Amino acid sequence: MWWRGIILIWAIGVTCFTVMDCAEAYSEESPTNYNADIQRKSLEEVLIFELSPKIMSVLRKEYGNNILIGGAHIIPIRKSDSYPQQEFILEGEVTTHDSTSDIVQITFKASTDGYKASNFRVIRTQK
């Protein structure tokens, strides 16, 4: 579990370096809004990375082993700028071994043991 701390520190360091580097390139924009967007996106990526074992566990129950997930992003249930969210929906596109593609949503809720997957649903199926 020590490697999670290293990855989190690395992600924060990359974010800080990127924010400082991009501030000059986007100086006409409000730096506060731009920095908040970068930080939120970085924290979202770290959260998705941390939850990947739980995400894959839910998807394996539904689809089996031969799956890929892409385009994963977080949809907050309640409007809030604070992270980590207490409850959110993870949405992504799942491609199965037979090239069927589904847009799925998994609801996560915070608990004392971390996040727990509480709901799974398929939004759209494509062939």
Side-chain angles (χ1 to χ4, degrees):
M1 297 300 178
W2 58 268
W3 54 271
R4 288 183 178 179
I6 291 174
I7 291 172
L8 184 59
I9 290 170
W10 177 80
I12 292 170
V14 168
T15 301
C16 291
F17 177 77
T18 304
V19 168
M20 289 188 298
D21 191 37
C22 292
E24 294 174 356
Y26 295 98
S27 61
E28 68 274 359
E29 292 184 23
S30 169
T32 305
N33 290 340
Y34 186 73
N35 291 348
D37 288 343
I38 289 176
Q39 288 175 346
R40 184 171 40 252
K41 194 68 172 164
S42 296
L43 289 172
E44 182 177 305
E45 290 175 12
V46 169
L47 185 58
I48 291 170
F49 177 77
E50 287 285 325
L51 290 175
S52 62
K54 292 180 183 182
I55 294 166
M56 293 308 291
S57 175
V58 170
L59 294 177
R60 281 189 191 107
K61 287 179 187 174
E62 298 294 326
Y63 294 101
N65 286 331
N66 290 334
I67 55 172
L68 295 172
I69 184 163
H73 60 278
I74 292 177
I75 303 170
I77 292 178
R78 292 181 191 91
K79 290 288 184 186
S80 173
D81 287 336
S82 65
Y83 270 87
Q85 296 282 334
Q86 293 299 311
E87 186 176 16
F88 61 90
I89 297 171
L90 182 120
E91 184 175 84
E93 182 176 357
V94 175
T95 305
T96 60
H97 66 283
D98 61 353
S99 299
T100 304
S101 180
D102 294 341
I103 305 296
V104 299
Q105 289 184 342
I106 305 171
T107 304
F108 284 93
K109 292 183 180 179
S111 71
T112 57
D113 299 333
Y115 286 101
K116 302 249 187 243
S118 63
N119 190 13
F120 172 84
R121 64 181 177 200
V122 177
I123 302 300
R124 183 179 53 208
T125 301
Q126 302 170 349
K127 291 261 178 189

